[in-house]
Amino acid sequence: MPGKSCSSSPGRPARVLIVDDHPIVREGLAHLLNMHEELQVCCTASSAEEALQGMVCEPDMAIVDLSLHKDSGLDLVRTLRQHHPELAILVLSMHDESLFAERALRAGANGYLMKLEATEHIMSAIQEVLAGNIYLSAAMHGRLARALTASRNATAGSVASLSEREFEVLHLIGLGFGTREIARKLNRSIKTVEAHQANIKEKLDIHSGKALIRFAIQWIENQ
């Protein structure tokens, strides 16, 4: 998981690696991003092998499709996260976000954007992910919020009292991330994440760390 914000160093644009097996998508996305002075496409790739070779350009961010001919984009995300823990990763895919977004986050991605929404939201997604935040569509956030609200172990009032960051922490706990991993993924200290966990337990009337984990996992499984 990322250990710090992945924004570029002062004085240079953020370097971006694009991984997609369709040339027109790579070229079109590269053209779009290079129109913004704060971004620079340093390499493009059509396969997992090319993507790993492209890491020599030391990108700050990778934009990865899930379908790469014979390769799995999720496996590539896992490999990139394992070997490049500070890399910001945004999945850009044609696959339904409601089915694949959580899998992408589990694999190590920082955000998920469907290609159907890319033109309107791509820059917002890139900015959020480069800032060290998690990006999901408003619809996906709403789905998660509704699922959490419906959880039998918490009242609607207590759920509504969770801050945005507390909600993200609860979500990541349910995905199986530990405190240290959450701290890295959210670019926060371990003490800060522990404070968020304490606040969540208080607001949801949960009395132990194990109970919080059980609650979060059950919530994810019920979605």
Side-chain angles (χ1 to χ4, degrees), residues 39-119:
L39 299 173
Q40 177 188 9
V41 176
C42 63
C43 187
T44 64
S46 63
S47 67
E49 181 180 1
E50 289 182 5
L52 296 176
Q53 294 172 349
M55 289 302 297
V56 298
C57 80
E58 299 184 349
D60 302 291
M61 178 181 192
I63 300 177
V64 180
D65 190 6
L66 290 185
S67 299
L68 301 170
H69 290 306
K70 296 181 180 180
D71 298 327
S72 164
L74 285 177
D75 287 344
L76 175 59
V77 169
R78 293 187 187 97
T79 300
L80 290 173
R81 177 57 65 227
Q82 179 180 357
H83 296 287
H84 305 279
E86 296 182 0
L87 180 69
I89 302 175
L90 174 66
V91 170
L92 179 64
S93 176
M94 63 178 289
H95 296 295
D96 190 338
E97 181 184 40
S98 66
L99 298 176
F100 286 90
E102 289 184 11
R103 296 182 185 183
L105 291 178
R106 288 191 187 102
N110 303 87
Y112 194 101
L113 179 66
M114 292 183 63
K115 288 182 177 178
L116 291 175
E117 300 181 358
T119 301

Side-chain angles (χ1 to χ4, degrees), residues 147-163:
L148 182 58
T149 302
S151 296
R152 62 185 179 184
N153 294 324
T155 65
S158 63
V159 170
S161 69
L162 290 179
S163 69

Side-chain angles (χ1 to χ4, degrees), residues 107-129:
N110 303 87
Y112 194 101
L113 179 66
M114 292 183 63
K115 288 182 177 178
L116 291 175
E117 300 181 358
T119 301
E120 182 178 357
H121 300 293
I122 184 66
M123 291 309 301
S124 295
I126 289 173
Q127 291 166 359
E128 283 294 307
V129 169

Side-chain angles (χ1 to χ4, degrees), residues 9-10 12 14 17 27 29 49 52 55 69 83-84 99 115 118 127 135 147 155 166-167 169 175 195 199 219 222:
S9 301
R12 76 165 177 85
L17 165 67
E27 295 169 9
L29 185 56
E49 181 180 1
L52 296 176
M55 289 302 297
H69 290 306
H83 296 287
H84 305 279
L99 298 176
K115 288 182 177 178
Q127 291 166 359
Y135 180 89
T155 65
E166 289 164 358
F167 182 85
V169 169
L175 293 176
N199 290 339
W219 163 54
N222 288 338

